[in-house]
Amino acid sequence: DAKTTQPPSMDCAEGRAANLPCNHSTISGNEYVYWYRQIHSQGPQYIIHGLKNNETNEMASLIITEDRKSSTLILPHATLRDTAVYYCIVSAYNFNKFYFGSGTKLNVKP
Amino acid sequence: EAQVTQNPRYLITVTGKKLTVTCSQNMNHEYMSWYRQDPGLGLRQIYYSMNVEVTDKGDVPEGYKVSRKEKRNFPLILESPSPNQTSLYFCASSLGLAEETQYFGPGTRLLVL
């Protein structure tokens, strides 16, 4: 099963873009890249996911490298409410191996 | 409103006293799962269920039981709780396909004395 590597923490100024990196060098061809976040001790919240192509939704953009060994989550205009732990996860279908890892603590500062 | 509910939200108990944490979802999801979260260890999967009457172990199943007698409910049972099961527990559900996201409950904070 693929594992991910993320920096333990990052800072971002409010209103600026937050770029959160993730390495997943052992990802398999059928595994997706998912991003979730957890605010304080609330239940994790889905952000975005992708397989090969870059993806964008109302919350964020996901950039996946061509070799799929790494990805970047982009929050285009970070706010104080985006302060959270962000998890990058790779998993094949059915979620029976869904490893959250340690995540990146994003601190958005005024 | 689509949601995953857990009860109780907070529980203090003593070693050896059987307890059940309930989980219910109203989205007709096939897949449900239980996680525990401990400081420094992230979220770890305890058990998951692909459908009614189908359950399987996750990464840390020891000391836990589950059942899936109906699609909407997936209770977590601690037959004889021990202090090392003090943790924050989350239930999650999804349609079970790679394109579908998991929806998480609000969490149950358990303290075993």
Side-chain angles (χ1 to χ4, degrees):
Chain A
D1 296 312
K3 297 288 195 254
T4 63
T5 303
Q6 299 178 253
S9 66
M10 293 182 63
D11 292 334
C12 178
E14 188 177 21
R16 304 296 294 271
N19 296 278
L20 291 87
C22 180
N23 287 319
H24 31 79
S25 59
T26 60
I27 191 170
S28 300
N30 65 338
E31 289 181 314
Y32 287 74
V33 180
Y34 299 86
W35 283 84
Y36 282 73
R37 73 180 183 183
Q38 186 176 27
I39 298 172
H40 298 300
S41 295
Q42 298 176 18
Q45 175 191 23
Y46 167 82
I47 301 173
I48 198 168
H49 75 282
L51 184 62
K52 296 180 181 179
N53 300 320
N54 298 335
E55 302 287 345
T56 295
N57 63 21
E58 64 278 5
M59 289 183 67
S61 295
L62 173 60
I63 308 298
I64 302 174
T65 58
E66 191 169 345
D67 63 8
R68 303 212 319 129
K69 293 184 177 182
S70 66
S71 60
T72 301
L73 177 74
I74 301 173
L75 306 179
H77 305 286
T79 71
L80 297 178
R81 289 179 297 178
D82 292 321
T83 293
V85 177
Y86 288 77
Y87 296 98
C88 169
I89 302 155
V90 293
S91 180
Y93 70 97
N94 288 338
F95 300 107
N96 58 329
K97 294 294 182 183
F98 212 72
Y99 298 108
F100 274 81
S102 300
T104 296
K105 177 66 168 42
L106 176 67
N107 299 300
V108 180
K109 299 184 176 181
Chain B
E1 178 187 356
Q3 61 182 351
V4 178
T5 58
Q6 296 179 226
N7 283 293
R9 295 289 312 281
Y10 304 91
L11 179 61
I12 300 174
T13 189
V14 296
T15 299
K17 185 176 181 181
K18 181 180 178 180
L19 66 91
T20 299
V21 183
T22 65
C23 173
S24 182
Q25 50 93 4
N26 62 0
M27 296 168 279
N28 202 36
H29 283 168
E30 303 283 342
Y31 178 93
M32 297 185 75
S33 181
W34 276 102
Y35 295 85
R36 62 176 289 175
Q37 185 172 29
D38 303 290
L41 295 177
L43 283 92
R44 295 177 292 168
Q45 193 176 55
I46 303 171
Y47 269 95
Y48 64 93
S49 170
M50 304 298 291
N51 210 328
V52 175
E53 301 295 356
V54 180
T55 64
D56 207 347
K57 297 177 181 179
D59 297 312
V60 288
E62 294 79 19
Y64 304 94
K65 289 177 59 178
V66 293
S67 68
R68 189 86 183 277
K69 297 180 180 178
E70 48 188 343
K71 185 181 279 191
R72 65 180 292 124
N73 296 321
F74 190 45
L76 180 69
I77 304 159
L78 285 71
E79 294 271 3
S80 182
S82 62
N84 65 11
Q85 292 179 297
T86 292
S87 188
L88 178 59
Y89 292 87
F90 291 102
C91 180
S93 75
S94 80
L95 283 174
L97 303 175
E99 286 293 325
E100 298 297 328
T101 70
Q102 287 194 83
Y103 295 85
F104 283 81
T108 295
R109 193 171 290 278
L110 173 65
L111 173 61
V112 183
L113 300 174

